Amino acid sequence: FPDLDLCDLHEPTAEELVEEALALEEAAQAVPGVTTPGGASASHGLTGFVLATSAGFRGTMTVTRHTRYATAIAGTGTGMERDFWGASKTHAADLPDLAEIGRIAGERAVRRLNPRQVPTTRTTVWYEPRAAAGLVGHLLGAINGSSIARGTSFLRHRMGQKLFRDGIHIVDDPLKARGLGSRPFDGEGVAARPLTLVEDGVLRSWLLDSATARELGLATNGRASRGIGSPSPGSTNVTLAPGALSAKDLAKDIGTGFLVTDLIGQGANLVTGDYSRGASGFWIENGEIAFPVSEVTIAGTLEQIFAGMQPADDLDDRFSIAAPSVIVEGLTVAGR
């Protein structure tokens, strides 16, 4: 099997993790305007996996996970706002500095103070990387072999068709060194291989395990994920390739629009493709952040969003779904 460097030999003690969590809280609370830390966590885990199949496959792998998070609360009373920041890595050495995590959490909370609502309008929506990763997650759900085989995905008849703009590429790579979703083989013992999901805007692959592949008259592409039950299709390390322009340059082109920093609820219907999610973030005027916004809803369809996505160059690879900021024109932002 390929050496993917998924096991960190350093195992922190419980006392060290407590000290790191306290340092995260201290860094968040040091930001002017933060009234109290909202909690912090520092964790380490090690998982061993042994797979033996009736077809004669034998394989093992060991994976470690280091996670650091900080939450900060700004304001008082009914005017309180909160936000968080963090990262998860297979190796502790790859984590951001604790002071940086806490500082970003605090700054994000403070800048959300005194939000407003905006009138209902059709406008351009800028999803920051954390929110954009959710859009990629909706695509992964819609191309999951289980949904395709059951006929419960709005993309079930779209294989080989153009869903995105020219130049959009989305790849699932289980062989990424130190990747959070990396693995040398899948949950059925099939060798791991990179898989192109979207190529130049065209949908190229479903996520398939053996069972769903048979139902569809296809061959598995090594995407079986296994817990304590039967395997089912899933992704590994998915990356939406970044674009050429910076997020600030794209924002200048927006003029007026809505920057999404947080999404609320599960308002994406993968059967119909309808999309409606609560959101908060910032209103953009003349390409610059004007004021914080809360209690609004973004509405449209996933097909519309996919077709309009324009990625920036600020790829965020802290998690198993890596995405840059993306801008989508013509969505409805429902406010007052």
Side-chain angles (χ1 to χ4, degrees):
F1 300 122
D3 180 10
L4 303 179
D5 197 12
L6 302 179
C7 186
D8 185 353
L9 297 180
H10 171 67
E11 182 177 353
T13 64
E15 291 74 18
E16 289 173 332
L17 292 173
V18 168
E19 290 177 4
E20 291 194 9
L22 292 172
L24 288 165
E25 283 196 337
E26 182 178 352
Q29 193 158 16
V31 175
V34 171
T35 51
T36 182
S41 67
S43 65
H44 165 265
L46 182 147
T47 302
F49 181 72
V50 180
L51 179 65
T53 73
S54 57
F57 176 86
R58 302 289 187 274
T60 67
M61 61 180 177
T62 305
V63 179
T64 51
R65 184 67 52 87
H66 297 266
T67 303
R68 307 291 185 269
Y69 272 99
T71 302
I73 299 173
T76 59
T78 58
M80 289 191 298
E81 297 290 339
R82 69 187 309 162
D83 211 320
F84 67 93
W85 197 250
S88 189
K89 298 290 183 181
T90 57
H91 286 248
D94 296 335
L95 286 166
D97 182 72
L98 297 177
E100 177 187 358
I101 293 174
R103 174 183 59 78
I104 293 175
E107 290 175 350
R108 288 177 65 91
V110 171
R111 70 177 188 166
R112 294 178 60 164
L113 289 171
N114 303 313
R116 311 180 201 173
Q117 277 192 313
V118 292
T120 297
T121 183
R122 285 177 62 86
T123 189
T124 300
V125 177
W126 169 6
Y127 290 82
E128 70 168 12
R130 193 167 78 185
L135 298 179
V136 179
H138 296 323
L139 172 70
L140 298 178
I143 64 172
N144 186 289
S146 294
S147 297
I148 301 301
R150 291 196 304 265
T152 56
S153 168
F154 73 101
L155 296 179
R156 60 190 180 277
H157 301 306
R158 301 296 303 275
M159 178 58 67
Q161 298 181 21
K162 200 168 191 67
L163 299 180
F164 297 83
R165 291 171 178 255
D166 292 345
I168 298 290
H169 299 274
I170 303 176
V171 175
D172 182 24
D173 184 7
L175 300 181
K176 179 181 178 181
R178 297 191 177 191
L180 290 175
S182 296
R183 59 193 187 193
F185 54 86
D186 78 347
E188 296 175 321
V190 176
R193 296 285 186 272
L195 179 67
T196 298
L197 303 176
V198 175
E199 180 181 28
D200 202 19
V202 177
L203 179 62
R204 293 299 188 193
S205 303
W206 310 129
L207 299 170
L208 300 173
D209 63 0
S210 294
T212 56
R214 281 194 299 270
E215 289 186 63
L216 296 168
L218 302 170
T220 178
N221 49 31
R223 266 40 194 189
S225 297
R226 183 185 291 273
I228 59 174
S230 300
S232 59
S235 60
T236 61
N237 302 299
V238 177
T239 300
L240 166 61
L245 297 177
S246 71
K248 287 187 176 181
D249 287 339
L250 289 175
K252 290 178 182 178
D253 292 338
I254 289 177
T256 300
F258 178 45
L259 167 60
V260 181
T261 59
D262 281 294
L263 292 164
I264 305 166
Q266 305 294 325
N269 188 325
L270 300 185
V271 178
T272 65
D274 293 332
Y275 180 88
S276 177
R277 297 196 66 179
S280 60
F282 299 88
W283 195 248
I284 305 294
E285 292 181 353
N286 299 318
E288 300 289 339
I289 291 177
F291 53 85
V293 172
S294 66
E295 298 182 15
V296 298
T297 300
I298 304 171
T301 68
L302 288 172
E303 288 195 62
Q304 174 190 7
I305 291 172
F306 293 163
M309 283 172 52
Q310 184 175 357
D313 66 355
D314 55 344
L315 184 69
D316 182 351
D317 66 350
R318 291 175 298 136
F319 303 101
S320 58
I321 297 179
S325 298
V326 299
I327 287 178
V328 184
E329 298 179 359
L331 295 179
T332 298
V333 175
R336 64 174 185 269

